[in-house]
Amino acid sequence: MKNVFKEIIKCMAVLCGLFLIIHRRVIAAALTGTEMPEAPEWHK
């Protein structure tokens, strides 16, 4: 059971990293107060 929790934590860390990489421009815009980037056409 201990190994299952370790694997879940590893998976969550990878997904969190991917989220930060994908949304890096939006996060930077929110932190600096600049205009939000345009969403891709497929995302609207």
Side-chain angles (χ1 to χ4, degrees):
M1 195 65 166
K2 206 175 212 182
N3 290 337
V4 173
F5 289 124
K6 285 183 181 180
E7 292 301 317
I8 289 173
I9 296 297
K10 287 179 187 178
C11 183
M12 290 175 63
V14 169
L15 291 175
C16 185
L18 287 173
F19 175 85
L20 292 173
I21 291 169
I22 291 170
H23 294 92
R24 66 187 179 273
R25 285 180 273 160
V26 173
I27 294 168
L31 292 175
T32 60
T34 59
E35 188 174 332
M36 289 289 177
E38 184 79 22
E41 190 62 38
W42 59 269
H43 197 276
K44 293 181 179 179

